[in-house]
Amino acid sequence: MQNRLFIEKAFLNGEFITFERTFSVVNPATGQAIGQLPDLTVENCREFIDVAHESWTSWRTTSIAERASILNRLFQLIEQHREELAQIMTLESGKPIQESRIEVAYANSFVEWFAEEAKRSYGQTIPTQDGKSRLQTIKQGVGPVAAITPWNFPLAMLTRKVAPALAAGCSVVLKPASQTPFTAIAFAKLSQEAGLPDGVFNLITSKDSKGIGEELATNEKIRKISFTGSTEVGRTLMQQASSTIKRISLELGGNAPFMVFKDANIDEAVKGAIAGKFRNAGQTCVAVNRFYIQAQVYDQFKDKLTAAVSQLKVGPGIEEDSQVGPLINQSGLEKVERHVQDAVNKGAQIEIGGQRINGLFYQPTVLSNVSRHASISFEETFGPICALFKFEHEEEAIQLANATPFGLAAYFYSQDVQQCFRVAEALEAGMVGINTGMVSNAAAPFGGVKQSGLGREGATQGLDEYLEVKYLNFGG
Ligand code: SIN
């Protein structure tokens, strides 16, 4: 590939390294290998951690101005290499190129945000009762951080963790998903060019996600672990991290409801549904999984949504006009097929789609009259399927929306202001989109409740995740 950022190496202590054993990364649109990467071991991982720990001792003492200026340079470099990054991202994730370009900009908004936010990690002066001592708090970086990132947003999930960690004075060992490591390696190259000192950011590539994850979660030298991925893996990492009482942030699975109330603007709701459902072929944690539509507008919404879905262009992400790419792998495709089949077996009608196309491509699908007992109503699908359920009353919709162990994003459409406040406050979710199908924004706290995770990313809260509060008592 003619792209200087496409590098088939891991990154340790400022150097790109090879290893005798390698693994292939495959383009999900074609099934063809696009490159080979070092298949590093748990023993290698300890070396990565030692390097991060060593470099932390000097990085933590750098001034905030210095860290901010490196992050600002990195922001400029990402901006300049937007197209190269997007091309790599599409190649390894299958994401439509238009979406990859948007993701690069979204990812970079975290770099920009945290370059600024680091300057505002204020402590406090606490009034004393006796008038003699002086009490203060200061904030300091937690120490070396392990970040484990998913395949669905190869750059944005990285910058949402790494930018605040670096801004806070932490060093990092990153383990990107083995399906999409090349975008992360391109980031490593740009971080080096931006002047980040050697060893402050390290990137380990490996097929052994389980072994590396366990080492990162249990190693004493790592003070914090941040993970985005499935609830199942998050639970394991949380257990493992408890052995060293590590700080932990988890951004896990969702099962987002999308409600349309009877006086909603239906055209706007359809636009929001397409945005909230078909981004990355439905493979996002905040993707709408369940559509609850009030009986009075059910048919109207169903027909307009079906018409909009029929216009979506499915194709390899590298084609400029492609809007829906392939699923990431065979097991992702099989889950989609299983959910559709199960819904149909339980009485759902297929309004459009419902078939595999070829390879890992699946038709954008609308299912109506889905049973509340269908798997799709309680399991995250991670695919381009709209499952429509009918409801009669607001309380019923809220009860259905909340009837899940997950609570990441929720969305609803209504033009009744009182209803907007009532429903937004009643929903058990970390993020609520009201008359919008998108909630992601670097300035806003991203995260879930219940089994969707712990902690917040982005915003002021996203920096606090990498900071400890230290209390100072100046006696006498
Ligand atoms: C995710 O699906 O985990 C992230 C989506 C986003 O940040 O918008």
Side-chain angles (χ1 to χ4, degrees):
M1 184 188 193
Q2 291 292 45
N3 184 333
R4 76 174 186 91
L5 297 183
F6 187 84
I7 301 165
E8 294 177 78
K9 290 176 184 167
F11 187 62
L12 174 66
N13 208 9
E15 282 181 30
F16 286 93
I17 60 162
T18 55
F19 192 58
E20 67 267 19
R21 207 176 59 224
T22 60
F23 67 95
S24 312
V25 177
V26 167
N27 178 348
T30 61
Q32 304 292 311
I34 56 169
Q36 301 289 320
L37 279 171
D39 188 10
L40 294 162
T41 65
V42 170
E43 208 185 322
N44 299 132
C45 184
R46 288 189 201 113
E47 197 189 336
F48 277 67
I49 294 170
D50 289 345
V51 164
H53 190 261
E54 182 60 35
S55 68
W56 173 57
T57 52
S58 47
W59 180 244
R60 66 192 293 202
T61 63
T62 51
S63 69
I64 286 178
E66 195 175 338
R67 284 180 236 149
S69 98
I70 291 173
L71 285 170
N72 280 324
R73 275 202 296 279
L74 181 56
F75 171 81
Q76 297 300 340
L77 285 168
I78 292 176
E79 193 57 30
Q80 283 161 24
H81 294 85
R82 196 163 161 173
E83 190 56 28
E84 289 99 315
L85 289 162
Q87 294 285 339
I88 295 173
M89 191 184 293
T90 286
L91 197 66
E92 64 182 357
S93 72
K95 188 174 286 213
I97 188 72
Q98 305 281 8
E99 275 194 44
S100 293
R101 291 180 187 128
I102 293 170
E103 182 181 336
V104 175
Y106 174 49
N108 214 9
S109 69
F110 291 106
V111 178
E112 185 179 38
W113 173 267
F114 286 111
E116 288 301 316
E117 202 59 14
K119 299 172 191 163
R120 291 184 273 276
S121 52
Y122 303 121
Q124 284 181 318
T125 299
I126 302 166
T128 49
Q129 308 246 339
D130 63 7
K132 290 184 191 139
S133 51
R134 294 288 179 268
L135 313 182
Q136 271 190 18
T137 63
I138 57 169
K139 290 185 181 174
Q140 295 178 308
V142 293
V145 165
I148 305 181
T149 48
W151 49 262
N152 61 345
F153 287 90
L155 193 59
M157 299 304 97
L158 181 165
T159 53
R160 198 154 78 182
K161 297 179 193 311
V162 173
L166 298 178
C170 303
S171 55
V172 178
V173 177
L174 172 81
K175 162 72 177 70
S178 56
Q179 296 92 333
T180 57
F182 284 112
T183 313
I185 299 167
F187 171 91
K189 178 77 183 144
L190 295 179
S191 75
Q192 188 183 44
E193 291 175 9
L196 195 66
D198 294 350
V200 172
F201 174 73
N202 307 280
L203 184 157
I204 183 160
T205 54
S206 179
K207 273 297 251 191
D208 182 11
S209 302
K210 209 163 157 224
I212 303 290
E214 181 172 2
E215 183 59 33
L216 293 173
T218 53
N219 192 302
E220 190 96 47
K221 290 181 178 163
I222 295 288
R223 301 279 176 83
K224 153 137 200 154
I225 183 159
S226 177
F227 169 71
T228 295
S230 72
T231 296
E232 195 192 337
V233 175
R235 207 186 312 280
T236 304
L237 289 171
M238 193 171 172
Q239 275 160 0
Q240 292 168 343
S242 70
S243 64
T244 48
I245 316 291
K246 255 184 235 329
R247 293 270 299 267
I248 185 157
S249 298
L250 299 171
E251 203 264 273
L252 309 176
N255 182 2
F258 183 107
M259 293 171 277
V260 181
F261 290 99
K262 64 180 185 320
D263 67 350
N265 179 326
I266 301 298
D267 291 325
E268 287 300 314
V270 168
K271 275 191 216 149
I274 296 288
K277 178 72 239 185
F278 290 99
R279 183 170 169 229
N280 202 16
Q283 302 173 108
T284 79
C285 304
V286 290
V288 180
N289 210 51
R290 302 167 289 151
F291 287 89
Y292 294 113
I293 316 299
Q294 200 155 18
Q296 294 89 330
V297 291
Y298 183 87
D299 286 335
Q300 192 190 355
F301 179 80
K302 179 190 72 181
D303 293 345
K304 289 191 172 186
L305 180 67
T306 305
V309 168
S310 74
Q311 298 302 308
L312 292 172
K313 167 92 173 39
V314 183
I318 213 67
E319 290 174 9
E320 280 294 328
D321 59 348
S322 167
Q323 291 170 296
V324 182
L327 293 159
I328 189 73
N329 57 25
Q330 191 62 25
S331 70
L333 177 71
E334 282 165 12
K335 187 174 194 191
V336 168
E337 289 185 318
R338 180 167 59 76
H339 276 192
V340 171
Q341 194 53 54
D342 171 75
V344 170
N345 291 347
K346 291 178 179 145
Q349 278 103 57
I350 298 176
E351 299 295 329
I352 190 167
Q355 295 290 326
R356 175 198 289 228
I357 303 173
N358 53 40
L360 297 173
F361 291 88
Y362 196 91
Q363 291 175 331
T365 297
V366 177
L367 301 173
S368 61
N369 294 327
V370 181
S371 158
R372 291 173 192 178
H373 302 291
S375 305
I376 204 166
S377 75
F378 47 87
E379 268 183 54
E380 190 179 30
T381 305
F382 244 56
I385 314 299
C386 303
L388 271 50
F389 305 79
K390 197 181 281 184
F391 72 89
E392 301 289 338
H393 306 293
E394 181 185 302
E395 303 72 44
E396 183 194 358
I398 293 169
Q399 192 264 326
L400 286 166
N402 288 340
T404 164
F406 302 100
L408 191 58
Y411 311 86
F412 70 90
Y413 276 73
S414 166
Q415 296 194 92
D416 172 342
V417 175
Q418 290 189 347
Q419 181 172 54
C420 287
F421 279 96
R422 242 183 356 253
V423 175
E425 288 171 19
L427 285 169
E428 294 173 0
M431 299 170 282
V432 181
I434 303 146
N435 295 317
T436 174
M438 292 285 282
V439 287
S440 310
N441 188 319
F446 189 105
V449 300
K450 302 202 277 188
Q451 293 186 33
S452 285
L454 289 176
R456 294 292 180 267
E457 296 193 308
T460 308
Q461 292 85 344
L463 183 64
D464 283 337
E465 297 281 333
Y466 295 88
L467 291 167
E468 293 282 12
V469 175
K470 186 183 277 180
Y471 149 57
L472 311 177
N473 183 342
F474 294 88

